Amino acid sequence: MIAIIEAKQLTKRVGAKQILHGIDLSLESGRFLTIFGPNGAGKTTLIKILSLLTAPSSGSLVIAGQEVGDNAADLRKQIGVISHHSYLYGNLTARENLLFYGRMYEVPNLEQRIEEVLTEVGLEMFFNDPVRIFSRGMLQRLSIARAILHNPRILFLDEPYTGLDLQAIEILNSVLAGLKDQQRTVVMITHTFDVGLALSDEVLIINKGRVAFHGARSEVGSLAEFQDLYREKVGGKQ
Amino acid sequence: MRHFWSSVCAIVWKDLKAEFRTKEMLSAMLIFAFLVIVIFSFAFDPGAQSIKQILPGIIWVGFFFSGILGLNRSFLSEQINDCISGLMLAPVDRAAIYFGKVFANLIQTTLVEAVALPVFIVLFDFSYAGSWLWLIVVILASTFGFVAVGTFLAALASNTRSSEVLLPIILFPVIVPVVIGAVELTKALFAGASISSVMIWLQVILVYDIVFTVVPFLLFDYLLEA
């Protein structure tokens, strides 16, 4: 299989602070990678670099077989991001938000696609409602719709379960399961071990800006065994 | 290139749609411009002969100060829900974000000016006999220069804690050439003088507009990354 993400010696320095220290990562197309690590380990920074939101200080990154450089804008078309921030405009309706992002991503048959994704996340009844009246769960569901609107090949999720109600968790799980069935590549950060392990094909533990462990899901065993491994790698913190 | 300009249009559409729904910024800018007019109409005798000399300065103070309110809001609204990251993730050169913001700000600022200018002229009991076409050219060229550099600096200031205070402090020293040029040109037009006598100021403003369109175009990606 061809690696859809190939990172070599990625570093990130912000001011005097070194956040990432030479991260190496290779992920094959269609795999589901879950990233674990304590707060401040550099997980979000790594996802920001891999999703081409920010550039690394040094190191090389290949996405979908192309070295990231001046072509970053084109490569972003293949990437979707769900963060704990929704990236949605409160004064626009759900439809208008998706219309805006759809135009930015040049989504074909946009109106039809908007209806499809809003139905997929269960917000078809709130089509013309302003986003500012949405609850946290509804915001996150619309955020999922925004991220999958352009059918990205790679989806990055940064703690997507934060603040979700039960219905939103079920919708997110269903979307993730669907992406897995479609052989899309998913990279997710979570602090919830059971959820992360249930979905993933591969597991990455980051600690202090370095890869502490990277292996297949089958290598880490049961939830209890993984918790032991995690404690061993990060020194007891969760 | 087609996608670049369609993205610019999408950002303009998004900003204007959100603004016209609430009219938060437009109403604040208009009220501020009217307050400037009222305060200066009390401070100076509207019927005095000297008003021709000072009215251009008063008009541009009103335009620039009310314009600052809109510029400040331009990128602060992108901080809510971290929408700026959503824009930065879009598959388009990030200069499109800059141009989208510039055109949205230009439309809003020009709208406020179009409403405020007749009020300025009526309240100061001034009858304008010069060329309206040249006046519109001067207003558009000066407003573009102000908005082009103001949008860039608003993006810079939005990453700081006291951005609303910082923007006027860093913007006004940079737009001094536009302020002087706009006032001199307007003064000449109000006095009924030929535009050719002050053409040098229009040239200064046009060069300024070009420089402050190209420089942010080249630097905007670095600014967002920082």
Side-chain angles (χ1 to χ4, degrees):
Chain A
M1 286 282 270
I2 305 160
I4 195 160
I5 299 172
E6 185 87 55
K8 281 184 186 152
Q9 287 301 300
L10 288 182
T11 69
K12 184 70 180 179
R13 175 180 282 276
V14 177
K17 195 177 179 194
Q18 185 84 30
I19 297 171
L20 296 180
H21 303 261
I23 298 277
D24 288 318
L25 174 68
S26 180
L27 187 66
E28 289 175 0
S29 180
R31 303 284 282 178
F32 195 122
L33 171 74
T34 306
I35 303 176
F36 298 96
N39 294 328
K43 307 182 295 295
T44 297
T45 305
L46 178 62
I47 280 226
K48 281 183 175 177
I49 293 171
L50 297 179
S51 63
L52 310 182
L53 178 59
T54 188
S57 301
S58 67
S60 75
L61 177 61
V62 176
I63 299 282
Q66 293 184 60
E67 176 98 35
V68 177
D70 292 341
N71 56 350
D74 284 337
L75 288 172
R76 282 191 213 111
K77 205 171 254 183
Q78 308 192 38
I79 290 169
V81 176
I82 298 172
S83 154
H84 37 264
H85 296 293
S86 67
Y87 306 161
L88 296 167
Y89 295 91
N91 286 335
L92 299 181
T93 65
R95 175 185 165 273
E96 286 165 350
N97 266 287
L98 297 186
L99 209 51
F100 168 64
Y101 279 107
R103 286 174 183 165
M104 297 295 283
Y105 282 85
E106 292 186 297
V107 175
N109 303 320
L110 184 54
E111 292 284 0
Q112 187 191 333
R113 179 68 185 145
I114 288 172
E115 274 182 40
E116 280 172 19
V117 290
L118 280 179
T119 306
E120 194 171 344
V121 298
L123 288 177
E124 67 276 18
M125 301 292 283
F126 304 94
F127 200 72
N128 283 318
D129 287 351
V131 164
R132 65 173 177 274
I133 66 162
F134 281 20
S135 67
R136 167 76 192 141
M138 288 165 76
L139 264 184
Q140 192 68 333
R141 279 148 67 186
L142 187 57
S143 178
I144 296 166
R146 174 194 53 73
I148 61 172
L149 182 67
H150 58 290
N151 270 317
R153 283 179 72 189
I154 312 167
L155 192 68
F156 293 94
L157 302 103
D158 188 356
E159 297 179 34
Y161 290 92
T162 310
L164 292 192
D165 57 26
L166 188 62
Q167 191 188 5
I169 289 172
E170 284 170 358
I171 286 168
L172 181 58
N173 284 340
S174 143
V175 168
L176 291 178
L179 288 168
K180 217 174 161 181
D181 291 344
Q182 294 164 29
Q183 290 291 298
R184 308 267 169 162
T185 309
V186 181
V187 178
M188 179 171 77
I189 293 176
T190 183
H191 287 287
T192 318
F193 286 174
D194 51 349
V195 171
L197 289 180
L199 294 163
S200 58
D201 301 311
E202 294 182 33
V203 173
L204 181 76
I205 300 173
I206 292 186
N207 190 31
K208 295 175 183 167
R210 291 184 169 86
V211 174
F213 174 83
H214 183 197
R217 167 70 185 85
S218 53
E219 286 177 50
V220 300
S222 67
L223 178 62
E225 286 168 323
F226 178 68
Q227 283 172 333
D228 291 340
L229 172 77
Y230 182 87
R231 283 192 197 98
E232 180 195 322
K233 296 295 179 188
V234 305
K237 287 190 288 180
Q238 183 172 329
Chain B
M1 207 57 192
R2 194 186 61 80
H3 178 46
F4 181 89
W5 289 109
S6 67
S7 300
V8 170
C9 292
I11 293 168
V12 173
W13 172 84
K14 181 264 296 173
D15 274 10
L16 294 182
K17 191 94 184 170
E19 179 51 39
F20 283 114
R21 182 151 293 147
T22 60
K23 298 176 193 71
E24 276 172 6
M25 225 46 254
L26 275 175
S27 50
M29 288 165 75
L30 273 171
I31 289 167
F32 191 88
F34 288 143
L35 283 176
V36 170
I37 300 169
V38 171
I39 288 166
F40 278 110
S41 71
F42 283 127
F44 299 103
D45 177 10
Q49 190 57 32
S50 59
I51 207 71
K52 271 187 193 172
Q53 291 295 310
I54 55 171
L55 186 57
I58 296 171
I59 287 175
W60 283 105
V61 165
F63 286 176
F64 287 145
F65 276 58
S66 61
I68 285 261
L69 296 179
L71 290 176
N72 244 327
R73 188 74 194 147
S74 174
F75 278 93
L76 287 180
S77 64
E78 299 293 345
Q79 307 286 351
I80 301 166
N81 293 338
D82 196 21
C83 289
I84 190 69
S85 292
L87 287 180
M88 289 168 68
L89 282 164
V92 65
D93 190 307
R94 285 169 180 167
I97 301 172
Y98 169 72
F99 282 111
K101 289 286 178 188
V102 166
F103 290 126
N105 287 333
L106 185 66
I107 291 168
Q108 291 181 55
T109 311
T110 310
L111 266 177
V112 171
E113 290 172 351
V115 175
L117 183 65
V119 183
F120 266 111
I121 289 175
V122 169
L123 263 182
F124 279 89
D125 195 20
F126 176 73
S127 74
Y128 178 66
S131 161
W132 281 100
L133 181 65
W134 278 116
L135 186 62
I136 290 168
V137 169
V138 167
I139 289 174
L140 285 180
S142 307
T143 306
F144 183 84
F146 166 71
V147 165
V149 71
T151 303
F152 183 69
L153 294 179
L156 180 74
S158 68
N159 289 325
T160 64
R161 256 179 272 174
S162 51
S163 62
E164 293 186 26
V165 179
L166 185 64
L167 180 61
I169 293 171
I170 57 176
L171 176 58
F172 281 119
V174 184
I175 59 159
V176 164
V178 177
V179 176
I180 297 172
V183 171
E184 289 297 326
L185 285 159
T186 313
K187 202 188 289 181
L189 288 168
F190 279 16
S194 159
I195 191 80
S196 56
S197 62
V198 282
M199 190 52 92
I200 183 72
W201 284 113
L202 189 57
Q203 289 167 344
V204 167
I205 290 172
L206 290 175
V207 169
Y208 185 97
D209 288 358
I210 293 166
V211 169
F212 279 100
T213 303
V214 173
V215 171
F217 174 77
L218 298 174
L219 297 180
F220 201 67
D221 199 2
Y222 298 103
L223 178 72
L224 288 180
E225 281 279 338

